[in-house]
Amino acid sequence: MLEVRPLPARLRPLAVVTLVLLAGLTGCQRSSDGPAAAATPAVVPVATPSVGLPDFASLVTRVGPAVVNITSVTPGTAVAGPVEEGPFGDFFKRFGMPRPQFETPPQRGEGSGFIVDANGIILTNAHVVGSGSEVTVRLTDRREFTAKVVGIDKRTDVAVLRIAAKGLPTVKLGNPDALLPGQWVLAIGSPFGFDNS
């Protein structure tokens, strides 16, 4: 036999609120010609999107070959060491001997770029090129070219390179004013030598 015990006084307001909510959820429907009848709870269908996520495969196939990997090397420079205090510093000063020379290691930069003209014009970041004396461009088909730096604008972090090649795949520069918040964006790059990542 089921034993029914009264609720403690502290839980009674919670029980009343729960019953009111349950009654509201199940709902009651009163017909015009009779007593209240229990209504069937409404089932709200979940909207399924009519369009799935965008498929970027065709876009990557089309513009991926125009994404290039860029490396730049700035050779090290000889720097005179500091004048030491103490007996060695006095020795160099007294006899007019040159200070020891140290060579800084070469600086390397690496990043991505985009071919914007089929005749070898490439757009990249100024910080990728830096002040590199050797700039190498590697295409997705593994061809490598030594690039000439056409121009650098450090303020906008843009650099333009030229390589000696013709008939290259290109990307088309878009109009940023035509973009809307919430539109899909795809970024294809070649950082750290990983092509089309």
Side-chain angles (χ1 to χ4, degrees):
M1 180 172 191
L2 183 62
E3 181 182 346
V4 179
R5 294 185 185 172
L7 279 173
R10 61 184 161 82
L11 293 180
R12 285 183 192 147
L14 180 62
V16 171
V17 170
T18 305
L19 288 174
V20 169
L21 286 175
L22 285 175
L25 288 175
T26 57
C28 288
Q29 181 178 8
R30 182 176 298 276
S31 64
S32 57
D33 57 358
T40 309
V43 177
V44 179
V46 177
T48 55
S50 60
V51 179
L53 294 175
D55 183 11
F56 293 121
S58 62
L59 179 63
V60 173
T61 302
R62 189 173 74 244
V63 300
V67 179
V68 298
N69 177 265
I70 299 170
T71 56
S72 68
V73 178
T74 304
T77 55
V79 177
V83 176
E84 295 183 23
E85 297 297 326
F88 290 111
D90 291 341
F91 177 78
F92 287 124
K93 288 179 195 173
R94 183 175 305 144
F95 294 104
M97 297 182 70
R99 293 184 289 173
Q101 299 284 315
F102 299 97
E103 188 164 321
T104 61
Q107 295 180 348
R108 300 181 186 276
E110 186 166 9
S112 306
F114 305 93
I115 304 170
V116 294
D117 185 272
N119 294 323
I121 301 295
I122 297 167
L123 195 62
T124 188
N125 295 108
H127 73 266
V128 170
V129 176
S131 57
S133 60
E134 291 178 35
V135 179
T136 305
V137 173
R138 190 175 75 215
L139 307 182
T140 56
D141 62 8
R142 303 290 180 229
R143 288 186 292 166
E144 288 190 4
F145 297 90
T146 300
K148 177 184 177 189
V149 178
V150 176
I152 293 180
D153 184 5
K154 291 185 178 179
R155 187 179 60 82
T156 58
D157 196 26
V158 174
V160 178
L161 309 176
R162 178 185 290 277
I163 59 175
K166 304 280 185 198
L168 298 173
T170 63
V171 295
K172 180 182 175 187
L173 296 178
N175 180 4
D177 294 334
L179 294 177
L180 298 173
Q183 284 185 306
W184 283 98
V185 174
L186 175 66
I188 307 173
S190 186
F192 310 114
F194 298 115
D195 294 342
N196 283 298
S197 56

